[in-house]
Amino acid sequence: MAEFSAMASPCELLMALPQERKKQAEQLAHLAAEEVWRIEKTYSRYRQDNLFAQLHRHPDQPQRVDAETARLLNFADQAWQLSEGLFDITSGILRQAWTFDGSDRLPSPEAVKALLPQVGWGKLNWQSDAPTAEGEVAGGWLTLPSGMELDFGGLGKEYAADRALGLMMQQLEAEQLPLSSQPGLLVNLGGDLACSGPADKGKPWRVGIESPTEDDQASEVLEISRGGMATSGDSRRYLIHQGKRYSHLLDPRTGWPLEDAPRSVTVAAPSCVQSGLVASLALLQGSGAKVFLQETGLKHWILE
């Protein structure tokens, strides 16, 4: 096991490798951690020396973006359309009105309303290059209107988990071992998981779902052998005003949290990015979260 910190989260890498392959495990861990840090550096909104900052320094101007950023923007576009506007990476600007620190301080309706003109994926201009026969895109052109912001926080960790796992798998596949002989890997970025196979002796990895009511406690232990798993909830980011709890997940169309949402939703899917998206969308359904999750056909766990 290797541990490191990234994206304001504790991270760990688990590898079902024997002790005699310790050096290889260290190389894999270094490869994965460097990739996570690279993604964090590139898309963090807290830096002024990265691609993210560059995109925001030139509003109202068409800007060429690279293939990786194009993939992320295409995913955001598809998610926005499929969710009918609930998933919107331009909604991060609403944090100027909201501070989810467990206090009872609600923003004024006027403060929230004043930010809504700067929210809305449909207001920016994104033109992706046409995909190749293999489905790849070389880049695209983005025009970000003045006053609007992008926020990759809703998919950054999940994307990084999938990328880190993919690079580790590529390294192992270079040995040309049969698939059955390749060790299982598990990437855990603050509870967002990507897994390539079972643990030692074919046993599944056991992971805990964080309790929404008790810090550093697991409310349930799940098993994963392959694919992605992600949890979305308000255990750490919320407000309580006059006895009413407000989740940090906001409806970008109104600027306010949807009511009657579960405290926590965990979803298992083929990739971590898919898991995270579905978990977030489920919470944004409010009281309709259960029905929404059932309709996806994906394994899921709900904590009220």
Side-chain angles (χ1 to χ4, degrees), residues 12-280:
E12 60 180 359
L13 306 167
L14 304 178
M15 294 160 276
L17 284 165
Q19 183 63 28
E20 58 266 25
R21 297 176 69 179
K22 181 180 178 181
K23 184 175 182 181
Q24 183 183 34
E26 292 173 349
Q27 294 172 339
L28 291 171
H30 179 77
L31 179 69
E34 287 292 334
E35 177 66 1
V36 174
W37 288 327
R38 180 193 69 80
I39 294 170
E40 179 179 27
K41 179 181 178 180
T42 302
Y43 297 105
S44 171
R45 67 174 183 264
Y46 300 107
R47 301 178 65 104
Q48 298 301 314
D49 60 348
N50 62 359
L51 172 65
F52 182 89
Q54 177 184 330
L55 291 175
H56 290 77
R57 277 196 291 267
H58 303 284
D60 300 319
Q61 299 179 27
Q63 300 182 72
R64 182 70 180 171
V65 303
D66 61 14
E68 179 175 51
T69 305
R71 288 194 299 270
L72 289 172
L73 292 174
N74 282 338
F75 180 84
D77 180 46
Q78 293 169 2
W80 178 77
Q81 294 185 50
L82 291 172
S83 68
E84 297 182 345
L86 281 175
F87 187 92
D88 193 324
I89 66 170
T90 71
S91 64
I93 198 171
L94 292 169
R95 65 180 175 275
Q96 294 182 12
W98 292 89
T99 302
F100 293 98
D101 56 2
S103 69
D104 65 348
R105 297 188 299 271
L106 283 184
S108 68
E110 292 76 18
V112 175
K113 185 177 180 180
L115 293 171
L116 290 181
Q118 280 75 54
V119 177
W121 173 264
K123 297 175 183 177
L124 57 78
N125 189 340
W126 164 239
Q127 296 180 351
S128 171
D129 290 353
T132 65
E134 293 76 25
E136 296 295 325
V137 294
W141 290 92
L142 173 69
T143 304
L144 188 64
S146 180
M148 292 187 67
E149 297 180 6
L150 300 178
D151 186 349
F152 292 99
L155 51 85
K157 274 198 302 179
E158 295 90 339
Y159 171 69
D162 286 335
R163 280 285 304 170
L165 179 66
L167 289 182
M168 295 169 76
M169 291 175 64
Q170 286 179 18
Q171 190 81 355
L172 290 172
E173 288 168 0
E175 300 177 2
Q176 297 183 339
L177 294 174
L179 184 62
S180 59
S181 300
Q182 293 180 8
L185 308 170
L186 177 68
V187 177
N188 178 4
L189 304 186
D192 293 328
L193 312 176
C195 180
S196 71
D200 190 35
K201 297 180 181 179
K203 295 181 179 180
W205 302 98
R206 292 170 58 83
V207 298
I209 299 179
E210 183 181 32
S211 170
T213 57
E214 300 181 54
D215 290 344
D216 301 320
Q217 294 294 320
S219 60
E220 190 170 351
V221 177
L222 306 178
E223 296 182 342
I224 180 174
S225 293
R226 194 174 302 276
M229 185 180 292
T231 299
S232 186
D234 67 355
S235 62
R236 298 184 183 275
R237 299 178 60 199
Y238 61 90
L239 295 174
I240 297 180
H241 182 73
Q242 297 181 353
K244 182 177 180 179
R245 190 182 186 94
Y246 292 81
S247 168
H248 75 282
L249 282 170
L250 303 173
D251 184 335
R253 301 167 301 187
T254 66
W256 290 80
L258 287 175
E259 299 183 5
D260 303 321
R263 294 291 302 278
S264 170
V265 170
T266 299
V267 175
S271 70
C272 190
V273 164
Q274 291 172 301
S275 302
L277 173 62
V278 174
S280 296

